[in-house]
Amino acid sequence: FKYCIAMDVLLPELQHIDLQIRLNAVSNIGLFAKKLGKEETLKSLLPALQILLSDEDEILAALAEQISSFPDHIGTDNVVPLLELLEPLCKAEETVVRNKATASIEAICKFFTDEQIQTSFVPMLKRLASEEWFTPKSSACRIFYIAFSRSPSEVQSDLISIYKTLCSDETPMVRRAAATHLKSLIPFAPVSMMEEQILDCVKSFDNDEQDSVRLLVVDIAIAIAKTLTEQNAAGLNKSIVEPLITACCQDKSWRVRFMVGTKFAELASALGEEMTKDVLLPFFCGLLKDAEAEVRMVAAEQISRVAELLPLETVISEILPILKTLSVDEAQNVREAMAADIMLLAKQFGTQGTNDHLLDLFLHLLKDDVAEVRLNVIGKLDQVTSIIGIEHISTHLIPAIVELAEDQQWRVRQAVIAFMPRLAKQLDIQYFNDKLLPLCVGWLSDSVFRIREKAAENLMNLVSVLGVEYYTLSIHPQLSKITKSSNYLYRMVALFAAAKLAPILPVEVVKTQLTEELVLVLVDDVTANVRLNVGASLDVILPLLEGEPEFVASKIQPALKKLGEDKDMDVKAYAAVPKVSS
Amino acid sequence: IRDIVVPALGTTFPMESFNTQFEKAANKFYAESPSVWDFSQMFGEEDNENSDDDSQDATDNYISSLAFDPQGELLAVGYNSGQVVVLTQQDDWTYQLYSEFKSHDSEFDCLTSTEIEEKINMIRWYPFQSQGQFLMTTNDKTIKLFKLWNKGYVDDTPDIGVKQRRVFSGAHAYNINSISFNSDGETFISTDDLRINLWHTDVSHETFGVVDIKPDDMEELTEVITCSEFHPNDCGLFVYATSKGVVRLCDLRDSALCKGYSKTFKDTESDIGGFFQELVTTVSDVKWSPCGRFLLSRDYLTMKIWDPRMDSRALRTIKFHDHLIPSLCDLYEDDSIFDKFTCSWSGDSMRIVTGSYNGSFYVCDAFGSHITQMTAAPPSAPQRSNNILDSSHKVLHTAWHPSGDVIGLGAKDFGFLYLKQQDDSESESEEEEEESQ
């Protein structure tokens, strides 16, 4: 009988003294259930799994996770019995276990009928919410929305008063959980409840003595604003949401103000343009001038998105002056954040506005002491050049790039390399070749390997942007020159480049310029590392030359044969890799 | 006009350097609740069976920390050997063994070629109750979080499980002297000689530096941090004390990076002068009152009560060690002048206890004038002569039950429990000399 054998195998494993064996057994429970079939699972497996509930945390976590897959294995029409295992797991002490248990509950509740929600889920929720310790109460907060979203209004009233008690629990852990998850309930609350019970809950958080609770009010405010707007009750935003935001922006704890800063753009778009201008703007300016650098930094990251919701004259009169102050902020991370974001303002300001008001700011940041600030400007440059064209800034841009290209920190140099293709697209070709191509070539001989590697990649990117002709005219001569370098490390770069470029160039070019002039010339190189890479490069090139059997036979095969008889073992090994199709 | 609020006294009192109203109320309280203490229990390590094993240091069995849990059911005792013993309170207010485990092992630091001792420098209980009890222990370099829970019963006795839950290591270049939980239930600070780190209890791979007093040039080092503590209710406030006799109040809400301090409390009245001045003003322990309104600092010769809102001077200076002043030279010779005595508040924030030499300890009124000196010893022990200063018998560690009148004391390898005499009942001196282990 299938059941006996299966359970007889499983049960001892679940009770084995070795944790790893138990863990392996538990991790396969889902498949086991599938094999057993629905009826046997419900009858024998689920009760048997109860023994695991006093086991170690890793077992509990694995069990909680597995249960979420049970509907797949045993069907979705009666998953209620799974709660018998999940409810105790929601009370577990270790956070990871509780989180997995609540995640599984969320997964299986999709398959509950509305009636099952009322008869099985809601009572479980009430039990968890009235337990003694903070652990099950925190779990209850997480899954509260499931009952709330699927219950009729009388039950909702009942549920919200239970939630209220959780909001004023004596332990900060439960209050934090209640504050974090209130926003999941809000979309399902009728406007009248918003004005009363929900608002009561939020007010208690607003006045909480724990910073970690107060800072959660921001997300709640956003959720309320969004829901009120959706339900055509946006007028209530002023009376309900405004006081909450006021309190947060003026909080003594920088962490709370930081939280507002990170969500400001989201808040502004939830409240709409009018409220942003009338109510939020002074707060935003306050955050940009906050005493704490971390707050100024996150506010600076939001500038362009907030400005979008304001009329241009307001941005110019209110925000622009602050930007000037921020550009000389003593905290480096503030200037970095600002540099990354304000380039996006160009779109709103338009050609004339950018020229008049923003250009000086960009150029100032381009001369900042700190490399990261300058890099952030360059990184978003295309936002600006698409509005005002590149001619205006190129005189300032090029010296800045040249300086960064030779920065002592290799990571800075690496970041500059990444910009090259974009700049190649935007600049006049002659200008690019004049000013920036020498840099690209110089990087091929950088002292840091990563840079040389990136430089080779960069050549491939340039060709993708500028075309095959560009390769033949501008790049190939330089690569050819490098194969004659006295340093073997640089000669190897030619081979990397060839391997990178081969896939995107036409066969003719691959044949003559790449293979003959770059790769094969190094077959007799004095250094084994170089010869070794010849084999590696040929491995990439060979599949691309399938339509050129004579060339392969006359040029490549002899080379491979020669390398195959090389005195160095590694060279021989690499030469053996490329497969010549017969 | 500032006011003093001490919950035990009931109403609020305006303070103008000890307004008579306040003193009257305080004295009334102390009169109605006199402080008479009786020996209750003694516990200590039995003589070593393997006494021919020379490698076992006699000081291994010395108590190095004591802590009552917030619910008042358990007492944790840490030892130089890295062992932690947890006792549980019985109905008759005696303590029995609950659990015992090895918290830390000694390690060898390859970088500095020194041994990291397993001595438990401090034990703190997690402030909130749940299915198990959580306690945090630390040695010089590593902090650990343990869970204790009742697994079931074996022949009527509870089977207590112990599990190491988290290890917080690698964050301190110098020796850790304190750990303290935040009232938010999820963060804590750890303090070494020069730095204080803020941790989250669920995250052991990352910590934030909040205080750093290391000078750029170590030649200029003149001050080290000796202890620190979070405020019992306010999640942003903590204090730390230094070897210069200074207590600093810091507010985490002010700024993100290594902050300056909000307030400084410095001893301005010390009149020893001379060579020993700095040595005796170094603060060995600092504790917030349970009501959160006062600070207690212990230096070598005095205890000081501070109102954090007044930084100009201490609210009260309790001088109970003046008799040591003539002997400071001798105490310096045998290094006793560097002893770190701890101090503790009573649960109602009205009394304080600290240890001393000759095996004695002092229970003082925080706001009244009484100082009761007692000797930690079972009633049957021979009387000690208090005329000669015996600095080898010292009560370094103290702890006061959070809600009851039980004091725990640690003196070398013996621990003592004292109960306050109840006024209504007959004085029941429990003369049990229980050497429980």
Side-chain angles (χ1 to χ4, degrees):
Chain A
F1 185 27
K2 182 172 75 173
Y3 143 72
C4 285
I5 301 173
M7 290 302 288
D8 279 346
V9 168
L10 180 68
L11 279 175
E13 295 219 329
L14 290 179
Q15 295 173 297
H16 200 279
I17 198 162
D18 186 341
L19 174 74
Q20 197 53 47
I21 294 190
R22 295 202 304 279
L23 196 55
N24 288 338
V26 177
S27 310
N28 292 312
I29 289 240
L31 296 173
F32 200 85
K34 191 171 186 167
K35 284 226 155 98
L36 271 188
K38 174 169 166 178
E39 216 182 289
E40 281 307 328
T41 300
L42 292 178
K43 195 169 112 195
S44 332
L45 180 59
L46 290 187
L49 290 176
Q50 298 268 343
I51 50 163
L52 294 175
L53 290 175
S54 50
D55 206 318
E56 300 281 327
D57 291 324
E58 294 104 312
I59 304 289
L60 296 181
L63 178 61
E65 197 169 353
Q66 282 292 307
I67 295 182
S68 65
S69 66
F70 269 43
D72 294 334
H73 301 305
I74 62 165
T76 59
D77 37 308
N78 187 15
V79 290
V80 173
L82 294 174
L83 285 184
E84 283 165 31
L85 283 170
L86 288 174
E87 184 174 346
L89 289 171
C90 282
K91 299 195 235 180
E93 229 211 279
E94 176 59 50
T95 324
V96 171
V97 178
R98 290 201 307 279
N99 289 350
K100 290 214 189 279
T102 48
S104 288
I105 290 187
E106 286 178 286
I108 66 170
C109 277
K110 291 195 231 154
F111 308 111
F112 276 43
T113 63
D114 286 342
E115 202 202 316
Q116 285 168 331
I117 292 274
Q118 296 306 316
T119 50
S120 303
F121 187 83
V122 171
M124 178 191 78
L125 187 65
K126 288 186 179 178
R127 284 193 295 273
L128 286 173
S130 49
E131 286 266 353
E132 199 183 342
W133 311 128
F134 68 86
T135 32
K137 288 195 263 198
S138 303
S139 296
C141 291
R142 272 188 114 87
I143 50 174
F144 217 89
Y145 76 95
I146 300 176
F148 195 77
S149 61
R150 294 177 65 173
S151 296
S153 49
E154 323 85 62
V155 180
Q156 274 192 336
S157 295
D158 188 25
L159 289 173
I160 199 73
S161 32
I162 296 177
Y163 204 80
K164 256 177 89 168
T165 53
L166 293 171
C167 294
S168 31
D169 194 271
E170 50 172 11
T171 64
M173 293 77 79
V174 178
R175 299 201 302 273
R176 271 196 296 274
T180 309
H181 299 288
L182 182 58
K183 61 180 187 278
S184 321
L185 300 185
I186 285 171
F188 305 103
V191 176
S192 55
M193 191 183 278
M194 204 82 83
E195 288 180 283
E196 288 169 26
Q197 294 103 316
I198 302 251
L199 193 54
D200 285 343
C201 291
V202 190
K203 279 189 187 154
S204 72
F205 295 140
D206 221 13
N207 295 326
D208 202 290
E209 51 176 14
Q210 293 286 338
D211 299 350
S212 48
V213 177
R214 291 199 310 279
L215 60 80
L216 296 167
V217 170
V218 186
D219 268 338
I220 300 175
I222 295 177
I224 293 180
K226 284 187 182 157
T227 308
L228 287 178
T229 311
E230 266 172 41
Q231 299 193 9
N232 290 321
L236 286 172
N237 274 333
K238 193 134 176 73
S239 54
I240 297 184
V241 178
E242 186 181 333
L244 300 175
I245 300 301
T246 311
C248 288
C249 292
Q250 295 171 343
D251 199 289
K252 276 179 297 189
S253 173
W254 68 271
R255 278 174 72 193
V256 180
R257 303 194 305 271
F258 180 91
M259 205 55 170
V260 189
T262 55
K263 309 265 174 167
F264 214 92
E266 202 182 333
L267 182 64
S269 62
L271 286 174
E273 290 181 6
E274 200 183 313
M275 273 199 83
T276 302
K277 176 155 175 271
D278 297 334
V279 174
L280 293 182
L281 182 59
F283 289 133
F284 189 61
C285 296
L287 292 177
L288 287 171
K289 294 188 269 195
D290 196 279
E292 171 55 47
E294 298 283 317
V295 179
R296 296 197 300 276
M297 178 185 80
V298 288
E301 287 170 2
Q302 315 269 318
I303 292 173
S304 60
R305 279 173 290 165
V306 175
E308 256 176 11
L309 299 162
L310 295 166
L312 187 57
E313 317 87 58
T314 316
V315 179
I316 294 178
S317 62
E318 303 296 321
I319 297 192
L320 203 54
I322 307 180
L323 294 186
K324 297 200 165 63
T325 323
L326 282 180
S327 66
V328 294
D329 195 295
E330 52 177 12
Q332 165 185 336
N333 51 350
V334 177
R335 299 197 309 276
E336 275 174 42
M338 183 204 176
D341 187 74
I342 60 165
M343 313 295 280
L344 302 161
L345 284 173
K347 193 158 158 216
Q348 187 182 5
F349 275 58
T351 316
Q352 196 58 44
T354 305
N355 266 324
D356 292 342
H357 303 288
L358 295 178
L359 195 56
D360 286 335
L361 218 47
F362 299 156
L363 295 175
H364 176 90
L365 290 170
L366 207 50
K367 297 197 197 85
D368 195 286
D369 287 334
V370 174
E372 277 75 22
V373 179
R374 290 176 271 151
L375 282 175
N376 284 347
V377 175
I378 296 177
K380 293 270 167 61
L381 210 52
D382 42 0
Q383 302 283 338
V384 178
T385 56
S386 57
I387 305 289
I388 65 170
I390 204 163
E391 304 79 35
H392 279 89
I393 11 184
S394 41
T395 34
H396 301 275
L397 185 62
I398 302 306
I401 290 186
V402 171
E403 197 176 333
L404 287 169
E406 292 159 3
D407 194 287
Q408 284 206 331
Q409 303 247 14
W410 67 269
R411 285 188 173 86
V412 176
R413 302 201 294 278
Q414 183 179 250
V416 182
I417 298 181
F419 299 142
M420 288 293 120
R422 263 183 284 176
L423 289 171
K425 242 205 272 195
Q426 299 187 303
L427 288 169
D428 172 60
I429 273 294
Q430 204 46 53
Y431 192 68
F432 180 85
N433 282 355
D434 228 7
K435 309 277 182 183
L436 296 179
L437 189 58
L439 293 177
C440 297
V441 172
W443 285 320
L444 292 169
S445 320
D446 193 284
S447 55
V448 173
F449 171 75
R450 185 94 171 127
I451 298 295
R452 296 197 296 275
E453 196 184 30
K454 286 288 175 186
E457 239 177 72
N458 181 43
L459 296 181
M460 171 186 79
N461 291 330
L462 286 179
V463 170
S464 308
V465 169
L466 298 172
V468 181
E469 281 298 311
Y470 187 74
Y471 173 75
T472 314
L473 285 172
S474 309
I475 296 188
H476 185 78
Q478 306 289 346
L479 284 178
S480 201
K481 207 159 128 195
I482 267 196
T483 60
K484 303 180 184 68
S485 168
S486 56
N487 187 331
Y488 81 94
L489 290 169
Y490 302 157
R491 297 199 296 276
M492 272 163 51
V493 177
L495 295 170
F496 300 148
K500 285 250 174 345
L501 287 160
I504 60 166
L505 289 172
V507 175
E508 271 309 310
V509 177
V510 176
K511 261 168 51 177
T512 43
Q513 292 174 21
L514 286 190
T515 315
E516 280 188 74
E517 296 174 27
L518 293 184
V519 181
L520 294 178
V521 297
L522 295 171
V523 168
D524 294 315
D525 195 284
V526 60
T527 311
N529 300 54
V530 179
R531 299 198 301 276
L532 181 161
N533 274 294
V534 169
S537 297
L538 286 175
D539 185 37
V540 174
I541 292 176
L542 213 47
L544 302 167
L545 294 178
E546 285 200 350
E548 305 282 333
E550 316 89 45
F551 180 80
V552 170
S554 61
K555 298 284 169 110
I556 298 188
Q557 268 182 306
L560 285 175
K561 187 154 175 285
K562 191 165 180 195
L563 292 174
E565 289 155 11
D566 196 287
K567 58 186 190 299
D568 186 290
M569 268 184 46
D570 293 314
V571 176
K572 281 201 280 211
Y574 272 83
V577 174
K579 298 277 180 285
V580 180
S581 48
S582 40
Chain B
I1 300 276
R2 300 174 189 276
D3 28 275
I4 306 178
V5 176
V6 181
L9 293 184
T11 45
T12 316
F13 302 93
M15 179 196 84
E16 273 168 323
S17 47
F18 276 107
N19 179 281
T20 44
Q21 259 191 316
F22 175 81
E23 271 196 72
K24 242 196 208 167
N27 287 333
K28 183 161 179 268
F29 173 93
Y30 290 121
E32 288 172 356
S33 165
S35 186
V36 184
W37 295 80
D38 293 325
F39 171 88
S40 169
Q41 245 179 304
M42 181 168 109
F43 54 91
E45 179 71 51
E46 309 235 338
D47 282 337
N48 273 329
E49 276 127 31
N50 39 344
S51 49
D52 31 326
D53 182 0
D54 292 329
S55 61
Q56 184 126 17
D57 197 348
T59 61
D60 264 2
N61 302 322
Y62 282 16
I63 292 175
S64 55
S65 51
L66 282 176
F68 282 99
D69 78 319
Q71 283 75 39
E73 290 162 4
L74 302 171
L75 171 62
V77 187
Y79 289 84
N80 280 8
S81 61
Q83 197 79 358
V84 172
V85 171
V86 182
L87 308 173
T88 182
Q89 191 183 68
Q90 308 293 105
D91 292 330
D92 60 354
W93 291 76
T94 59
Y95 280 78
Q96 300 278 16
L97 180 67
Y98 183 73
S99 179
E100 171 179 8
F101 58 97
K102 189 94 192 306
S103 165
H104 286 71
D105 289 310
S106 66
E107 283 170 43
F108 188 73
D109 181 350
C110 306
L111 202 59
T112 55
S113 291
T114 52
E115 195 193 350
I116 302 173
E117 289 175 7
E118 53 209 341
K119 167 165 164 279
I120 308 296
N121 292 336
M122 189 174 271
I123 299 178
R124 292 275 196 183
W125 291 89
Y126 183 69
F128 296 99
Q129 210 179 3
S130 73
Q131 296 101 309
Q133 294 103 349
F134 287 85
L135 59 72
M136 190 168 271
T137 61
T138 186
N139 69 351
D140 284 339
K141 299 288 185 193
T142 304
I143 305 145
K144 296 189 182 184
L145 184 66
F146 289 91
K147 173 184 160 186
L148 277 73
W149 78 106
N150 192 332
K151 288 200 279 197
Y153 284 84
V154 175
D155 304 330
D156 274 352
T157 49
D159 176 24
I160 307 299
V162 180
K163 187 175 170 189
Q164 179 181 287
R165 258 312 175 66
R166 301 266 192 273
V167 178
F168 303 91
S169 60
H172 286 279
Y174 305 99
N175 290 343
I176 300 176
N177 51 58
S178 316
I179 44 176
S180 177
F181 277 107
N182 192 334
S183 54
D184 68 4
E186 60 180 8
T187 56
F188 67 95
I189 48 172
S190 59
T191 307
D192 65 31
D193 293 330
L194 296 175
R195 297 192 177 103
I196 301 182
N197 291 332
L198 178 69
W199 304 78
H200 190 287
T201 48
D202 284 341
V203 179
S204 44
H205 63 267
E206 203 177 52
T207 181
F208 292 94
V210 291
V211 172
D212 187 341
I213 65 167
K214 180 167 183 279
D216 287 328
D217 181 1
M218 280 298 270
E219 303 280 308
E220 290 169 29
L221 181 67
T222 53
E223 189 177 19
V224 293
I225 303 176
T226 53
C227 47
S228 70
E229 198 182 44
F230 256 123
H231 190 278
N233 304 313
D234 191 319
C235 60
L237 293 179
F238 66 94
V239 286
Y240 69 89
T242 74
S243 54
K244 284 203 159 158
V246 167
V247 175
R248 296 203 178 106
L249 178 67
C250 299
D251 192 337
L252 288 172
R253 293 171 303 177
D254 280 346
S255 62
L257 298 179
C258 287
K259 76 197 71 299
Y261 40 87
S262 305
K263 288 203 169 197
T264 304
F265 307 97
K266 194 168 166 62
D267 167 31
T268 46
E269 294 171 7
S270 210
D271 43 16
I272 303 297
F275 177 69
F276 299 115
Q277 169 73 3
E278 189 165 320
L279 289 176
V280 302
T281 55
T282 180
V283 175
S284 58
D285 198 12
V286 70
K287 291 268 163 56
W288 286 97
S289 64
C291 63
R293 309 287 300 213
F294 301 98
L295 274 170
L296 170 64
S297 69
R298 166 72 155 104
D299 51 68
Y300 198 65
L301 299 176
T302 72
M303 283 197 286
K304 295 187 171 66
I305 310 251
W306 303 85
D307 180 336
R309 296 165 303 171
M310 179 172 77
D311 43 7
S312 51
R313 62 170 186 83
L315 204 58
R316 286 201 68 212
T317 301
I318 304 171
K319 297 187 180 188
F320 59 98
H321 256 184
D322 277 354
H323 58 276
L324 294 183
I325 297 178
S327 316
L328 283 179
C329 263
D330 298 324
L331 291 166
Y332 178 74
E333 293 295 313
D334 65 11
D335 280 348
S336 298
I337 205 169
F338 301 108
D339 283 332
K340 287 189 70 168
F341 290 96
T342 62
C343 53
S344 304
W345 285 90
S346 63
D348 57 9
S349 305
M350 290 301 288
R351 293 197 167 93
I352 50 185
V353 63
T354 193
S356 180
Y357 297 117
N358 288 52
S360 60
F361 62 102
Y362 295 86
V363 176
C364 310
D365 294 346
F367 306 106
S369 47
H370 269 96
I371 302 175
T372 313
Q373 180 188 7
M374 285 165 278
T375 307
S380 54
Q383 280 289 338
R384 263 192 228 285
S385 156
N386 270 341
N387 297 330
I388 310 162
L389 176 61
D390 180 1
S391 61
S392 64
H393 280 98
K394 45 191 128 184
V395 178
L396 287 177
H397 303 283
T398 57
W400 201 309
H401 191 280
S403 50
D405 288 316
V406 184
I407 289 179
L409 304 162
K412 286 213 230 177
D413 40 355
F414 289 103
F416 298 88
L417 286 158
Y418 273 74
L419 296 184
K420 181 153 158 267
Q421 243 177 47
Q422 299 308 306
D423 329 303
D424 36 5
S425 60
E426 317 257 289
S427 60
E428 278 168 52
S429 320
E430 295 174 70
E431 300 186 329
E432 284 169 294
E433 209 172 64
E434 210 169 41
E435 276 181 272
S436 56
Q437 187 39 35

